[in-house]
Amino acid sequence: MATEAPARAQTWNPDSYGTHARFVADLAGAVLEWLDAQPGERILDLGCGDGVITEALARSGVHMVGVDSSADMIEAARARGVDARVMDGEALTFDREFDAVFSNAALHWMTRPEAVVQGVARALKPGGRFVAEFGGHTNVAAIITAMRAVGLRRGGDVSLAGPWFFPTPDEYRALLERNGFEVKRIGLFGRPTPLKTGMAAWLKVFRKPFFDQFGAEADAAVAEVEELLAPSLRDQSGNWTADYMRIRVEARLAR
Ligand code: BEZ
């Protein structure tokens, strides 16, 4: 009997995301300060996920629209009362309608960044702002390297270990500037991120396609990655920390 090839695309389960990745929204305080959303503004949340941040902004009087490519996440966002739509971030269809576009922990999943930034530029009113935080250069480097080592050892597809877009600030600044933005501020900083529910859970939520390729051996592969990472990312009490690096940026579209 032919077995179906494991899916290569990342998929999301809102329940498991809520349990193992709630820190993503909890850690968004600084980028929300940069956004400085005002009641009455119309703001697009690009890659809104399950809509936790979108809902909080809407409650403060901002007219929010959330988009995400995951239908399951959009369903979860709608259940919170968010105006949420399934849309590919690399093919945004809005036209000069938002005061700001906001994005937290989503842009690194979109591997055609030029198309994303062009869509953001089209979505903004002239002079509108783009405020985002996402993974930057060297983000989760140790985790990716450990996955690649296990992939090599097991004869797997190592390209599935790290499919993300993690630019340097210089690269991202250049991308914005050639698409009509003026960069107000941009920086790359380390944000060691405690994983309260552990490394295995993080690996299974955020890099599912890599482990799915090993079929019945998926859990064994997860355990091997953990073993490689433990000396550097697990403390003596057994707590895990992920080696996150973030880019935070505020840019304005020309008038
Ligand atoms: C991040 O938020 O930086 C991230 C999330 C999942 C995989 C890789 C990076």
Side-chain angles (χ1 to χ4, degrees):
M1 189 180 73
T3 52
E4 217 173 282
R8 295 174 66 88
Q10 175 71 25
T11 53
W12 298 104
N13 174 318
D15 290 336
S16 131
Y17 188 84
T19 304
H20 301 296
R22 184 51 63 225
F23 66 87
V24 173
D26 292 346
L27 294 173
V31 70
L32 284 168
E33 272 179 35
W34 280 32
L35 176 65
D36 192 21
Q38 301 299 316
E41 282 190 315
R42 185 168 159 78
I43 297 182
L44 176 66
D45 185 353
L46 171 53
C48 67
D50 60 6
V52 168
I53 295 177
T54 336
E55 180 193 11
L57 287 166
R59 281 186 191 282
S60 68
V62 184
H63 301 297
M64 294 300 299
V65 176
V67 293
D68 202 284
S69 60
S70 162
D72 289 338
M73 287 299 215
I74 287 299
E75 196 180 318
R78 283 189 183 146
R80 297 178 189 282
V82 169
D83 176 353
R85 310 171 192 180
V86 178
M87 196 181 290
D88 180 352
E90 296 172 351
L92 295 175
T93 58
F94 302 103
D95 186 20
R96 292 175 165 240
E97 47 193 289
F98 292 101
D99 298 294
V101 174
F102 167 77
S103 185
N104 180 53
L107 297 178
H108 46 253
W109 291 101
M110 303 174 201
T111 52
R112 292 175 53 231
E114 195 96 38
V116 174
V117 166
Q118 286 167 358
V120 170
R122 277 193 306 273
L124 284 168
K125 297 175 186 169
R129 63 200 191 279
F130 178 33
V131 177
E133 184 169 319
F134 60 105
H137 187 56
T138 71
N139 194 32
V140 291
I143 298 175
I144 293 173
T145 303
M147 280 193 280
R148 289 180 67 88
V150 169
L152 283 173
R153 194 191 285 164
R154 289 181 163 271
D157 178 354
V158 294
S159 73
L160 291 174
W164 301 292
F165 169 64
F166 294 149
T168 65
D170 283 351
E171 287 163 354
Y172 206 65
R173 174 190 291 277
L175 170 62
L176 289 167
E177 287 177 351
R178 69 176 172 263
N179 285 288
F181 285 92
E182 182 193 350
V183 175
K184 296 284 181 190
R185 42 186 172 167
I186 188 166
L188 177 72
F189 58 95
R191 195 200 64 199
T193 300
L195 303 180
K196 291 207 176 94
T197 60
M199 180 57 74
W202 188 95
L203 293 168
K204 289 180 196 171
V205 169
F206 288 109
R207 203 71 292 265
K208 190 169 156 21
F210 176 79
F211 294 101
D212 281 353
Q213 70 177 316
F214 302 114
E217 289 284 300
D219 283 343
V222 168
E224 286 171 22
V225 174
E226 279 197 303
E227 195 184 334
L228 284 172
L229 288 172
S232 41
L233 298 185
R234 190 173 66 192
D235 71 15
Q236 291 189 343
S237 310
N239 302 308
W240 287 94
T241 300
D243 52 336
Y244 273 30
M245 295 292 295
R246 317 312 280 168
I247 279 199
R248 193 179 298 145
V249 62
E250 177 187 356
R252 289 225 174 235
L253 189 64
R255 287 191 177 276

